[in-house]
């Protein structure tokens, strides 16, 4: 990139991208069967051996886990953010849809930016061709699915969802010990097949957000019958942040587990920022195109027009945005329903459209032109994320008439999108107290025909600014359990400021917890494996393995080391919580060793007889063990 | 205190106690009616006025909130931790039970420590008389309650539970707008009366942990039909921490909202540490006496005896401990049930008793001497916290035979304690996935006869060491909603190390969130007032009020100021998240002003007619407002 001096503060010069493997993990790849060219990423958490007291050694297998961190955590893959990630998807077996290959953007704005000398320094330098379906054709995953075609993307996500656990299931069945879930109607197959994926996509119960202009993408799936996903929001505003920081925030977000990233930039150079992000992103990128449209009319909502918005959609679709949040459910007649709310309309997109509707005494152009929008979506395979412009911004406004009226309209729009074979997910809450969360999921499933639900939180109380990642994780875990397919993270800075890198990490990990707690509660097959492996490591005082199996190995180690920094303490059979003479786990190991030593038969006898005749043996055995 | 040099690292010399009001709050006191000598503490969060666009000013009332921070946040009360807090309860109207007043401890250990020259430097210097019920008498709150007597403690907690909201309800009914809760059988009166408290105590559905030797106490109540409470654990271990730090940790914990504090010290000088903590504590202090008993036999569980344990109970009861965790449900026949667990026994007390039972081939002395323990408890009014020695330490072990067998035994023991009119709460989980949490509450209510449930977490996944305050807050909010009366906090250091002050704050706030989310979901009358007030402040850009109404005003301000440090930004009608031109709240205010300006009648008409004829007016009005 250009390194010559510039008077712009938003250059990329300070870009510092976080690279390297996650501690204790090795990146591996699985291969496709229908499409052998597919390399599906996986992370294997290495474990050390267990050393039993009798001197025997037990091998603990590597635990494979779903991995969305992209090539950034693979030391074998060279990274050059100025070149972007390789356009891998374009090398996969091509489908039968006729495509147009364009050298230039077809949006007026895209062409203008390309010709703009003032932003040349900021521009991502590598230009790729632009693809779109030929006139009248449809490249959406849903369109293929409904024609019975399994695409490479479908096989990719099928293999990815299985997390490479098949081999482990055969070799270490004890790790798969798990409780029965309560799936609330979700149907979670023990093994996800490409055909299952195809069927779910065809029914509209899942989406693969995968714009054909985002060839750098490692596809993923969002649906109630798959692993619960999380989204991280990044983006600059007029007040703060630079392009470089935003690219790093994307890389940073996916390192900590973000399955998709939304670029919510509203400040300067959002076209250029977006290009840098997408070219370097292995995860789907979502946007809210109305934000940029509003920038184009200098913030005057009344001046927005369908033509300008349409050009923005095409501009962004040609950059490779994978899903668009579109607040097409904010209807003119719903706006007055918000007048008596405690916090009115808190969605930016929702309030912009409400303002437009009132100012023009017309129905929203997003609603009246919805079929034209569908025509754009299917030409690039951009998925709808139908925005909840009237979501509640406080507990007081939860589940009110305005919110559910809009949700029902989103259901109507879903049917229209599906008529065009365009993929759809539905956005939801918000601020909702716990006892009212379930109704959100039920309403969505019923009125939006099981299209995947994508919710922000919900926050379960309003009284903890600075801790809204937690107020909302409580709600997110529950709504994920009830069936939400993707959880939009909330960071500690919510309501207070723009998240920095620490906040992004905190928000992402918090939401991974919520998503995983939901997977466990639903009874997702294989979800408990990692919990079991970590608990076994914990019980056996394999500290390093505990750290590595956790969602944030670095923080776990750092916390441990605050009180016991010595390297030797990592092998110690105690920790600083209870000290060496006071560890319940250690005492229990003594008990278990005793029980195992006598064999299962003896154990049964002992159990029946209250262990009386065994007690003396134990006393001899255990007396000296306790203090080592 | 002594300041001469000492070779002990555990001196109190570095004690630095956090004092001063919580930002934006004023401490006030309510007076008793039955007992006019009672001063019930309350915190009033001050608010600024709303400035409407038409120039009118709306007064926002102070919001009273429950306050457990003690005199430390009251600038009017002098603090001297060397003198301890005033023995206020001893000045309240005396009940009719005959008491013995002793100048010396009656426990052998207590007397020995008093005579020990080596620890003279560490000792709390002010000695108070020791009280106990006369032979055969009973000073428990339950005993009074069952005789129909309303004690000062009962009136105190009744007034405290109402949070001073009566006046506000009359003056600002709109703040009480709230959703209907789902109480799962809890019965939450709109106004708590002393008679309601008495009745709940008599039935065993609530407890007031209030040792007569803890006259510094501001009484509080734990029960399903009251506000959900939280406990913070503090305590040194053999590895780290000093007395001074522990006293400050207590003060610090209650500042952030801990309703009770457990002193779980296991290291040196635990007798002296405890004395310092109790003499300075306005909240109930709980302990696990077996920890100290074990120290007395140098960590050899087999050497524990009933006589030694009994002396420890008396020692601690005479210091003023308000509740004892006693693992009397770990029966000999249950121990083998844990042998095939993934993580065995993870309760320290549970593992100690399991070891003792096996070593002696006898039933636990806590179980066989349970009625003698009851006799001690009622002489001082120490409450039972019947310990869950067999709680699950991993998801894999959740809700297993061992756990529920013990729970059923705790139910039997509850009946025995109640026969002696001794107050009881029951400890619970642990690690439990979400779909299995409800069963814990249901089992407890049924088999322990609605005695208050006091749970640790539960953690809803095992895979996030470093974030277990969050994995467990998800479970705690749910089990609190289902009926748990007190939530034992978990800090970010859980499983990794001893919490420092930051961890205590993080754990306490996280659990206040869980408890409040539970209150809201149950439909506790008045719970939503603070949420409503904060949301209104948020919507009106009253930044200072937002900070002050939150659970952690300091952190909220700090986060806000990271991006907008200027003092002027606190009055700004925007924040760094969206910037000045992009704020949905601001746009909505424009909308609402428009709607209100036309009056309610017009609004109805507009709603019916799709707002068409109003739109033009709005356009004129709003066009220039948006950019100010």
């Amino acid at each position: 990139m250009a390194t010559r001096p510039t008077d712009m503060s938003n250059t990329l010069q300070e870009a510092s991208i976080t690279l390297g493997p996650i501690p204790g993990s090795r990146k591996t790849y699985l291969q496709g069967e229908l499409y052998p060219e597919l390399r599906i990423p996986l992370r294997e958490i290495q474990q050390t051996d267990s050393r039993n007291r009798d001197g025997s050694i037990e091998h603990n297998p590597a635990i494979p886990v779903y991995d969305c961190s992209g090539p950034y955590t693979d030391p074998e893959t060279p990274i050059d953010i100025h070149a972007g990630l390789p356009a891998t998807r374009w090398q996969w077996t091509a489908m039968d849809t006729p495509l147009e290959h364009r050298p230039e953007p077809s949006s007026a704005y895209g062409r203008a930016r390309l010709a703009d000398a003032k932003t040349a320094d900021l521009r991502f330098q590598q230009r790729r061709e632009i693809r779109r379906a030929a006139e009248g054709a449809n490249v959406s995953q849903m369109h293929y699915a409904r024609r019975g075609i399994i695409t490479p993307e479908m096989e990719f996500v099928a293999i990815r969802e299985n997390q490479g656990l098949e081999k482990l299931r055969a070799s270490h069945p004890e790790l798969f010990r798990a409780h029965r879930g309560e799936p609330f109607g979700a149907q979670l197959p023990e093994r996800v097949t490409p055909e299952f994926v195809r069927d779910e996509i065809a029914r509209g119960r899942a989406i693969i957000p995968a714009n054909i202009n985002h060839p750098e993408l490692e596809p993923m799936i969002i649906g109630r019958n798959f692993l619960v996903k999380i989204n991280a929001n990044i983006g600059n505003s007029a007040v703060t942040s630079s392009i470089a920081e935003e690219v790093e925030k994307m890389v940073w977000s996916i390192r900590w587990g973000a399955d998709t990233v939304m670029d919510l930039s509203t400040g300067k150079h959002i076209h250029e920022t977006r290009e840098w992000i997408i070219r370097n992103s292995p995860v789907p990128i979502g946007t809210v195109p109305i934000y940029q449209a509003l920038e184009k009319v200098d913030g005057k909502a009344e001046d927005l027009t369908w033509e300008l918005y349409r050009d923005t959609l095409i501009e962004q679709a040609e950059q490779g945005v994978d899903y668009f949040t579109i607040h097409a459910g904010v209807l003119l007649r719903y706006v007055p329903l918000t007048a008596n709310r405690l916090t009115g309309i808190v969605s930016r997109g929702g309030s912009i459209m409400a303002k437009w509707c009132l100012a023009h005494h017309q129905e929203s152009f997003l609603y009246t032109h919805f079929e034209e929008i569908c025509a754009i979506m299917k030409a690039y395979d951009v998925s709808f994320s139908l925005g909840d412009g009237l979501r509640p911004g406080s507990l007081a406004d939860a589940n009110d008439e305005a919110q559910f009226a809009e949700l029902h309209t989103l259901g109507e729009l879903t049917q229209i999108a599906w008529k065009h074979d365009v993929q759809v997910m539905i956005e939801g809450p918000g601020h909702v107290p716990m006892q009212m969360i379930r109704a959100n999921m039920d309403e969505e499933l019923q009125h939006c025909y099981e299209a995947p639900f994508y919710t922000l939180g919900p926050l379960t109380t309003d009284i903890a600014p600075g801790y809204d990642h937690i107020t909302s994780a409580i709600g997110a875990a529950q709504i994920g359990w009830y069936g939400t397919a993707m959880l939009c993270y909330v960071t500690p800075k919510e309501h207070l400021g723009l998240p920095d890198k620490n906040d992004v990490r905190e928000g992402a990990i918090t939401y991974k917890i919520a998503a995983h707690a939901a997977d466990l509660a639903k009874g997702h097959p294989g979800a408990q494996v990692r919990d079991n492996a970590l608990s076994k490591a914990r019980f056996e005082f394999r500290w390093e393995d505990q750290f590595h199996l956790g969602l944030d190995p670095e923080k776990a180690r750092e916390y441990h080391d605050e009180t016991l920094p010595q390297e030797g303490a990592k092998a110690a059979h105690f920790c600083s919580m209870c000290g060496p003479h006071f560890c319940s786990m250690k005492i229990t190991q003594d008990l278990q060793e005793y029980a195992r030593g006598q064999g299962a038969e003896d154990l049964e006898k002992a159990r029946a007889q209250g262990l009386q005749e065994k007690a003396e043996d134990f006393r001899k055995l255990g007396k000296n063990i306790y203090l080592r």
Side-chain angles (χ1 to χ4, degrees), chain A:
Chain A
M1 77 184 280
T3 53
R4 63 180 180 277
T6 160
D7 61 347
M8 290 181 182
S9 58
N10 286 346
T11 69
L12 272 156
Q13 298 183 28
E14 70 263 51
S16 162
I17 303 297
T18 305
L19 298 177
I22 290 166
S25 282
R26 202 168 60 90
K27 192 103 173 187
T28 60
Y29 297 88
L30 299 172
Q31 198 183 0
E33 290 178 16
L34 300 173
Y35 299 99
E37 68 268 32
L38 302 181
R39 286 180 83 221
I40 299 98
L42 204 65
R43 179 157 73 86
E44 286 189 342
I45 305 174
Q46 309 299 310
Q47 295 198 83
T48 57
D49 295 336
S50 306
R51 282 156 204 288
N52 299 327
R53 289 183 184 182
D54 62 7
S56 66
I57 287 185
E58 183 195 350
H59 174 67
N60 293 301
I63 304 294
V65 294
Y66 192 102
D67 178 60
C68 52
S69 60
Y72 302 98
T73 53
D74 183 356
E76 309 294 314
T77 308
I79 296 293
D80 175 3
I81 67 158
H82 307 286
L85 299 177
T88 308
R89 278 178 69 212
W90 284 353
Q91 288 148 29
W92 293 348
T93 304
M95 297 294 100
D96 60 358
T97 312
L99 296 176
E100 293 174 14
H101 300 258
R102 302 184 174 194
E104 293 272 306
S106 42
S107 72
Y109 190 83
R111 283 196 303 273
R113 293 304 274 197
L114 199 57
D116 182 24
K118 286 204 306 280
T119 51
D121 275 7
L122 292 174
R123 207 170 294 147
F124 186 81
Q125 296 298 317
Q126 307 290 324
R127 283 177 54 195
R128 299 226 167 92
E129 65 168 33
I130 291 163
R131 295 185 173 186
R132 56 164 290 156
E135 189 61 31
N138 186 338
V139 290
S140 84
Q141 293 291 325
M142 188 180 221
H143 191 62
Y144 293 119
R146 289 183 163 178
R147 287 158 61 211
I149 296 170
I150 293 173
T151 63
E153 286 79 4
M154 294 173 199
E155 187 185 26
F156 192 102
V157 301
I159 294 172
R160 196 172 198 184
E161 287 286 318
N162 292 323
Q163 304 167 77
L165 288 171
E166 293 92 336
K167 263 192 288 182
L168 197 63
R169 193 185 291 274
S171 64
H172 291 79
E174 75 285 359
L175 276 171
F176 287 76
R177 168 177 165 179
H179 299 291
R180 202 172 65 184
E182 166 50 84
F184 292 112
Q187 289 149 29
L188 302 157
E190 183 154 319
R191 186 165 164 272
V192 175
T193 61
E195 171 54 24
F196 180 79
V197 170
R198 188 204 59 73
D199 188 55
E200 290 287 299
I201 300 281
R203 288 164 180 253
R205 288 204 298 216
I207 67 170
I208 299 178
N211 185 324
I212 56 170
N213 287 306
H214 189 188
E216 302 87 354
L217 182 73
E218 294 172 350
M220 52 78 72
I221 191 163
I222 301 168
R224 183 159 65 117
N225 297 327
F226 301 92
L227 290 163
V228 177
K229 304 302 189 297
I230 71 164
N231 171 70
N233 291 333
I234 61 174
N236 59 347
S237 80
V239 178
T240 180
S241 218
S242 76
I243 292 181
E245 282 172 30
E246 297 309 319
V247 174
E248 163 61 1
K249 267 190 206 164
M250 179 276 293
V251 173
W252 183 249
S253 307
I254 63 177
R255 184 177 183 88
W256 298 111
D259 295 286
T260 79
V261 167
M262 289 195 79
D263 174 15
L264 302 185
S265 295
T266 56
K268 282 190 285 190
H269 312 308
I270 54 184
H271 177 88
E272 288 73 22
T273 305
R274 187 185 311 123
E275 186 75 21
W276 277 94
I277 291 173
I278 297 171
R279 297 288 72 80
N280 285 288
S281 176
V283 304
I285 298 296
T287 63
V288 188
I290 201 83
Y291 293 178
Q292 189 184 6
L294 191 71
E295 297 283 347
K296 293 176 182 176
V297 292
D298 293 328
K300 296 197 185 72
E302 314 87 293
D303 292 354
L304 286 167
T305 63
W306 159 243
E307 290 69 27
L308 179 110
Y309 185 78
R310 182 178 178 280
D311 192 70
T312 306
L313 292 182
I314 294 170
E315 169 205 345
Q316 297 197 9
E318 295 196 343
Q319 286 186 300
V321 174
D322 301 288
Y323 61 91
F324 287 152
T325 291
I326 298 186
H327 300 93
V330 180
L331 300 190
L332 182 59
R333 66 180 180 274
Y334 299 158
V335 178
L337 298 180
T338 67
N340 290 321
R341 278 182 160 186
L342 185 57
T343 50
I345 300 176
V346 296
S347 148
R348 286 189 245 174
S351 64
I352 294 163
M353 290 317 300
K355 187 162 194 189
W356 189 93
C357 290
L358 290 182
H360 291 273
H361 55 84
Q362 280 176 16
E363 200 49 276
S364 155
F365 58 79
L366 301 177
Y367 185 79
T368 56
H369 292 270
F370 194 74
E371 301 223 25
E372 289 167 81
I373 298 175
C374 291
I376 297 170
M377 305 299 261
K378 66 185 172 190
Y380 304 95
D381 197 10
V382 183
S383 298
F384 275 112
S385 185
L386 290 175
D388 54 341
L390 303 181
R391 69 168 174 269
S394 56
L395 293 200
D397 297 339
N399 294 18
D400 71 354
E401 197 183 349
Q403 185 195 337
F404 283 151
E406 181 190 35
L407 184 67
H408 297 181
T409 298
L410 299 187
E412 290 168 35
L413 296 171
T414 299
Q415 295 286 22
I416 296 170
W418 285 352
K419 199 180 69 185
H420 291 270
D421 293 348
V422 173
Q423 304 189 92
V424 176
M425 59 182 170
I426 306 290
E427 296 186 10
H431 296 234
V432 184
M434 284 193 287
Q435 83 277 21
M436 296 166 72
I437 293 175
R438 179 83 194 274
N440 280 273
M441 192 70 230
D442 291 347
E443 285 282 307
E444 196 274 346
L445 288 173
Q446 184 188 342
H447 294 284
C448 299
Y449 313 96
E450 299 190 81
F453 204 23
Y454 169 30
T455 68
L456 180 82
L459 286 73
T460 54
T461 165
D462 301 330
I463 67 166
Y467 297 83
D468 279 331
H469 58 312
I470 297 174
T471 64
S472 66
I474 291 168
Q478 283 178 41
I479 206 163
W481 175 20
Y482 303 148
T484 288
M486 185 157 78
L487 306 169
C488 183
Y489 88 170
V490 171
T491 79
K493 289 278 169 62
E494 183 77 12
H495 297 120
L496 297 169
L498 270 184
D500 62 19
K501 281 179 67 180
N502 276 337
D503 300 317
V504 167
R505 173 181 177 177
E506 191 83 11
I509 296 287
T510 300
Y511 270 68
K512 288 300 282 185
I513 290 169
H516 186 67
D519 286 334
L520 287 163
K522 289 166 79 176
H524 191 289
Q528 206 180 306
V529 170
R530 189 169 174 182
D531 295 77
N532 291 345
L534 192 144
S535 295
K536 183 168 187 283
R538 178 172 282 157
F539 190 62
E540 294 172 356
F541 300 100
R542 286 183 278 117
W543 288 100
E544 296 282 351
D545 293 353
Q546 255 194 83
F547 304 155
H548 296 157
L549 286 161
L551 289 174
D552 187 342
E554 291 167 29
K555 183 161 283 182
R557 174 188 306 272
E558 181 192 311
Y559 281 178
H560 175 271
D561 288 2
E562 273 180 33
T563 32
L564 288 175
Q566 309 84 342
E567 213 31 53
K570 305 290 192 313
H573 276 203
F574 64 90
C575 71
S576 63
M577 283 174 291
C578 310
H581 302 315
F582 231 103
C583 179
S584 62
M585 293 236 181
K586 190 162 180 307
I587 298 175
T588 306
Q589 286 190 3
D590 296 347
L591 293 178
Q592 291 194 347
E593 182 172 308
Y594 160 72
R596 284 204 199 95
Q598 307 297 321
E601 208 178 294
D602 258 23
L603 184 66
E604 262 317 297
K605 207 192 321 169
R607 190 162 157 175
Q609 302 177 4
L611 277 171
Q612 293 205 11
E613 77 281 7
K614 299 296 169 198
E616 197 55 36
D617 301 350
F618 177 79
R619 180 144 57 174
K620 284 183 207 133
L621 177 76
K623 198 144 191 168
N624 297 317
I625 291 176
Y626 179 57
L627 292 172
R628 268 155 323 150

